[in-house]
């Protein structure tokens, strides 16, 4: 006996409304519940499970197991954040990144020497602001159009946004550092972090879409 | 899962051993396999199984394959190359642990420990 597409959709909706937001874990939970239900009714003569039987079993099943799924979801979100952080770090220490970072430093240092500190600061501030707005808008549009969220991708976006916001709005090292050499170091590290984060995000997004769609 | 830290500490090794034997498996299949093998003695709950699987995946020991099965998506787990090597290590470690425990719990079988 197999569940219908509508019954599968019902389980998915129930989990989503229970706060299990990430599609990658919901797929797994929906499959677990559906397989369990199909196994329990395996000996039934009908080929499709009637909605009434389905609803009754589902209510009992969730009353018994909901807490387990929510625990699993909580742990999953934590693991996803750690995975996102590790992925960025892994990409930062790649040979390509390690070779490009000193190059970026030289470009910035020369740019400050040639165009002046204030001009470089202004250009970078405009770039950061545009990037920040773009990411926030992308996230909002995704939410409004109900695009499904993948755990590690979402945690990476929120982690990078928090990181940029804290450095860019609260710490403001460019206000504290006056020496152009150290300022170039700060800009280099900050740009390297943002660029690596963005590239990792795009690659990861493509990987998840390919894997799940 | 049986409410014992002894079992909980061995959960990832149990999962890896099953994947080593069966190639690729999905979550529900793992719970049923464990239940069947232990004649219902060991029952892995969803709250214990999935965090363990996700942790192993995050450590790069498991790989994920997704396939559409009966109107839904199914996540299959399989060991990566480093996962295969790690399984050997963890099984050796578990076997050694069991041997030591047997020696301590039942010292008569080991003449060295008789005073």
């Amino acid at each position: 006996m197999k569940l219908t597409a509508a019954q599968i959709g019902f389980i998915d909706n129930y989990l989503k409304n229970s706060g299990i937001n990430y599609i990658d874990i919901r797929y797994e939970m929906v499959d677990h519940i559906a397989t369990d239900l199909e196994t329990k009714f395996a000996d039934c003569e009908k080929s499709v499970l009637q909605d009434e039987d389905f609803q009754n079993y589902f209510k009992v099943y969730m009353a018994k197991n909901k807490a387990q799924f929510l625990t699993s979801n909580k742990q999953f979100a934590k693991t996803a954040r750690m995975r996102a952080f590790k992925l960025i770090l892994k990409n930062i220490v790649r040979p390509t990144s390690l070779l490009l970072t000193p190059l970026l430093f030289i470009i910035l240092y020369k740019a400050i020497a040639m165009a002046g500190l204030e001009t470089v600061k202004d250009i970078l501030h405009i770039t950061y602001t545009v990037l920040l707005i773009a990411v926030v808008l992308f996230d909002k549009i995704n939410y409004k159009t109900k695009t499904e969220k993948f755990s590690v991708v979402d945690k990476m976006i929120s982690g990078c946004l928090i990181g940029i916001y804290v450095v860019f709005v609260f710490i403001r090292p460019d206000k504290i550092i006056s020496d152009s050499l150290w300022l170039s170091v700060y800009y280099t590290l900050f740009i390297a972090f943002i660029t690596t984060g963005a590239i990792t995000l795009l690659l990861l997004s493509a990987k998840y879409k390919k894997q799940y769609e | 899962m049986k409410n014992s830290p002894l079992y909980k500490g061995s959960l990832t090794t149990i999962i890896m051993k099953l994947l080593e034997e069966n190639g690729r498996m999905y979550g529900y299949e793992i719970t049923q396999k464990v239940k069947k093998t232990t004649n219902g003695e060991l029952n892995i709950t969803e709250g214990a199984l999935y965090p363990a699987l996700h942790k192993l995946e995050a450590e790069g020991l498991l790989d994920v394959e997704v396939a559409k099965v009966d109107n839904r998506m199914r996540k299959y787990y399989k060991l990566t190359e480093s996962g295969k090597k790690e399984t050997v290590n963890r099984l050796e470690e578990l076997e050694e642990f069991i041997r030591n425990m047997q020696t301590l719990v039942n010292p008569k079988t080991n003449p060295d420990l008789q005073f």
Side-chain angles (χ1 to χ4, degrees):
Chain A
M1 168 171 303
K2 300 293 169 198
L3 293 192
T4 63
Q7 289 164 341
I8 296 287
F10 181 86
I11 302 172
D12 187 55
N13 239 346
Y14 178 89
L15 293 176
K16 200 173 183 178
N17 292 334
S18 302
I20 300 167
N21 296 317
Y22 297 124
I23 188 73
D24 37 343
I25 188 157
R26 248 181 18 246
Y27 277 153
E28 194 159 46
M29 291 178 176
V30 168
D31 183 47
H32 190 104
I33 297 166
T35 312
D36 194 50
L37 209 147
E38 286 172 352
T39 310
K40 296 274 189 304
F41 287 91
D43 299 331
C44 191
E45 283 174 7
K46 297 166 205 163
S47 61
V48 172
L49 185 61
Q50 295 302 305
D51 280 341
E52 201 186 326
D53 295 332
F54 165 76
Q55 292 281 350
N56 288 338
Y57 176 80
F58 184 70
K59 267 185 213 163
V60 174
Y61 184 90
M62 286 320 287
K64 195 179 160 197
N65 298 295
K66 192 176 176 181
Q68 295 278 349
F69 283 109
L70 293 180
T71 308
S72 193
N73 182 51
K74 219 174 175 180
Q75 289 292 329
F76 184 72
K78 269 188 202 167
T79 313
R81 192 176 289 281
M82 277 311 290
R83 280 183 72 185
F85 184 65
K86 276 184 188 170
L87 266 174
I88 294 180
L89 275 185
K90 199 177 153 189
N91 284 339
I92 282 178
V93 295
R94 276 189 175 197
T96 331
S97 312
L98 292 176
L99 278 173
L100 287 173
T101 309
L103 192 71
L104 182 67
F105 169 76
I106 294 166
I107 293 168
L108 278 166
Y109 190 67
K110 290 278 177 199
I112 291 172
M114 285 166 71
L117 188 60
E118 290 308 313
T119 314
V120 174
K121 266 186 185 179
D122 288 344
I123 293 169
L124 289 176
H125 279 184
I126 293 166
T127 316
Y128 291 161
T129 313
V130 170
L131 270 175
L132 203 63
I133 292 168
V135 175
V136 172
L137 279 178
F138 173 77
D139 207 39
K140 290 275 174 213
I141 292 166
N142 256 359
Y143 182 74
K144 284 215 167 164
T145 53
K146 295 196 171 177
T147 306
E148 297 292 2
K149 286 181 176 181
F150 292 109
S151 58
V152 185
V153 174
D154 190 64
K155 293 292 179 193
M156 196 175 277
I157 292 176
S158 62
C160 284
L161 276 179
I162 293 167
I164 292 169
Y165 193 77
V166 167
V167 175
F168 191 50
V169 177
F170 285 111
I171 304 175
R172 299 289 308 262
D174 54 332
K175 293 276 175 200
I176 307 163
I177 308 164
S178 54
D179 183 64
S180 61
L181 180 78
W182 285 109
L183 209 54
S184 304
V185 171
Y186 154 66
Y187 282 136
T188 304
L189 294 176
F190 196 51
I191 293 171
F193 171 74
I194 294 175
T195 316
T196 312
I199 293 169
T200 313
L201 191 65
L202 289 173
L203 291 174
L204 197 67
S205 233
K207 186 192 158 195
Y208 266 90
K209 277 184 185 159
K210 196 180 163 194
Q211 200 171 37
Y212 285 91
E213 284 169 12
Chain B
M1 186 153 200
K2 262 194 167 182
N3 194 21
S4 159
L6 291 175
Y7 285 106
K8 282 178 186 165
S10 314
L11 178 59
T12 51
T13 314
I14 295 169
I15 293 171
M16 289 166 86
K17 170 73 181 162
L18 284 174
L19 291 173
E20 187 193 46
E21 285 172 355
N22 297 282
R24 66 171 204 176
M25 293 176 94
Y26 56 97
Y28 187 81
E29 193 181 10
I30 295 172
T31 60
Q32 295 311 296
K33 186 82 181 173
V34 171
K35 204 171 171 181
K36 197 178 166 192
T37 312
T38 61
N39 294 321
E41 270 294 299
L42 198 56
N43 191 13
I44 306 177
T45 60
E46 298 84 344
L49 174 73
Y50 290 108
L53 283 169
H54 302 146
K55 192 170 167 272
L56 288 170
E57 190 196 346
E59 285 169 2
L61 300 172
L62 298 188
D63 220 350
V64 167
E65 278 173 10
V66 184
K68 193 163 186 183
V69 178
D70 302 325
N71 295 323
R72 58 185 182 264
M73 302 300 263
R74 178 165 286 169
K75 263 171 98 172
Y76 287 96
Y77 292 91
K78 63 176 187 177
L79 289 169
T80 58
E81 281 310 311
S82 58
K84 285 175 189 167
K85 286 175 197 161
E86 186 62 20
T87 306
V88 177
N89 294 338
R90 290 198 189 188
L91 282 171
E92 277 173 10
E93 206 177 309
L94 185 63
E95 277 164 15
E96 199 185 325
F97 170 78
I98 294 166
R99 266 198 309 274
N100 288 335
M101 282 300 120
Q102 269 174 344
T103 315
L104 285 168
V105 172
N106 195 7
K108 280 176 192 169
T109 55
N110 187 348
D112 293 345
L113 284 174
Q114 288 180 5
F115 301 104

